[in-house]
Amino acid sequence: HVAALYLSEGQYGGTPPTRPEPPPARQPAAPTFSILAADWDRFPGRYKADSGPIWTITRKGDELAIVSTSGLTFATRPIGALEFESTNRPQLARLVLGTDDHGKVAWITQTIPDTPGGRLTRMETMTDPAAGLSDFEGTYESDEIGDRRRAYVSGGKLWFASSEEPEPYPLNRDTPNGFSVWGFDAIFTRGSDGKVDGFIMNTPPGSGIRYVERAPGC
């Protein structure tokens, strides 16, 4: 197209191409839906995407605030009883919440124009997330990326400390052996004796990074 603007037909070797049609106008946003005060309690929770990331959803006024372990952060407003629309993202993302036979929100379907849809499943809250945390204490190393992390328990949570991080940070316990925090999740593994022998880290830059527990003094 640039050549067609500056070269004659003879120099260009043919008729200059026509300009492409402009993209269609963005679909107007839907009107905000009014949700009863008691119904807002149905939505907050933690949801795991089929692709791996975990969303933490909380209520912030008349919107839902969403933080994902993939680094995604955005807010949504209600446009239906079980449907929300993003308020602070470039693209018009919509979330449709599905319920089980008891009316409990059990999953979320996410749609973004020109992007494959995604599905997230609600994660059940552990009754005692602090139980057995000492099993995960230790020092872990990854030969793949040359990183070492120390895991320790404090205040009923598991913490990670690393020379690559400015200060230690707590992890959220999602499953008996699974933890997450903004930016990544860690799935601990156990040997044939049932003892923790390492974990798998999944982050936006790369997934399946293996960390192995090192014996004291190593």
Side-chain angles (χ1 to χ4, degrees), residues 46-48 52-56 67-70 123 157-160 169-175 177-188 199-202:
R46 296 170 66 78
Y47 300 79
K48 185 175 180 61
I54 296 172
W55 286 13
T56 299
V67 177
S68 169
T69 53
S70 66
M123 302 176 66
K157 283 199 169 188
L158 188 70
W159 291 67
F160 265 178
Y169 52 90
L171 304 177
N172 299 309
R173 194 173 190 181
D174 305 312
T175 64
N177 292 304
F179 297 78
S180 68
V181 71
W182 185 92
F184 77 87
D185 61 69
I187 309 300
F188 284 84
F199 65 86
I200 303 295
M201 178 183 288
N202 299 305

Side-chain angles (χ1 to χ4, degrees), residues 21-217:
E21 292 294 329
R26 177 173 171 173
Q27 182 181 0
T32 299
F33 183 84
S34 180
I35 292 181
L36 297 177
D39 288 340
W40 279 101
D41 294 337
R42 305 170 62 193
F43 311 128
R46 296 170 66 78
Y47 300 79
K48 185 175 180 61
D50 292 341
S51 56
I54 296 172
W55 286 13
T56 299
I57 299 181
T58 57
R59 180 186 178 184
K60 189 174 182 179
D62 289 333
E63 294 184 342
L64 293 179
I66 300 173
V67 177
S68 169
T69 53
S70 66
L72 182 68
T73 301
F74 65 102
T76 63
R77 64 184 179 86
I79 58 174
L82 292 170
E83 189 171 2
F84 290 78
E85 179 180 87
S86 61
T87 61
N88 58 347
R89 297 186 63 191
Q91 292 179 304
L92 189 65
R94 290 194 176 183
L95 309 179
V96 177
L97 284 63
T99 59
D100 58 20
D101 295 338
H102 303 287
K104 180 181 178 180
V105 175
W107 68 85
I108 298 174
T109 300
Q110 178 192 25
T111 59
I112 299 177
D114 303 321
T115 303
R119 181 183 170 95
L120 302 97
T121 303
R122 190 182 195 112
M123 302 176 66
E124 293 298 329
T125 303
M126 294 189 62
T127 56
D128 187 6
L133 282 181
S134 60
D135 290 354
F136 307 103
E137 290 187 308
T139 299
Y140 302 85
E141 289 185 346
S142 171
D143 294 334
E144 298 177 47
I145 60 175
D147 183 38
R148 171 181 288 199
R149 293 174 185 264
R150 182 172 64 90
Y152 65 94
V153 178
S154 178
K157 283 199 169 188
L158 188 70
W159 291 67
F160 265 178
S162 168
S163 59
E164 303 297 324
E165 303 289 344
E167 59 185 26
Y169 52 90
L171 304 177
N172 299 309
R173 194 173 190 181
D174 305 312
T175 64
N177 292 304
F179 297 78
S180 68
V181 71
W182 185 92
F184 77 87
D185 61 69
I187 309 300
F188 284 84
T189 58
R190 297 176 182 266
S192 57
D193 58 359
K195 294 183 179 180
V196 173
D197 59 7
F199 65 86
I200 303 295
M201 178 183 288
N202 299 305
T203 70
S207 300
I209 303 171
R210 175 66 175 169
Y211 281 75
V212 177
E213 185 175 19
R214 299 303 185 194

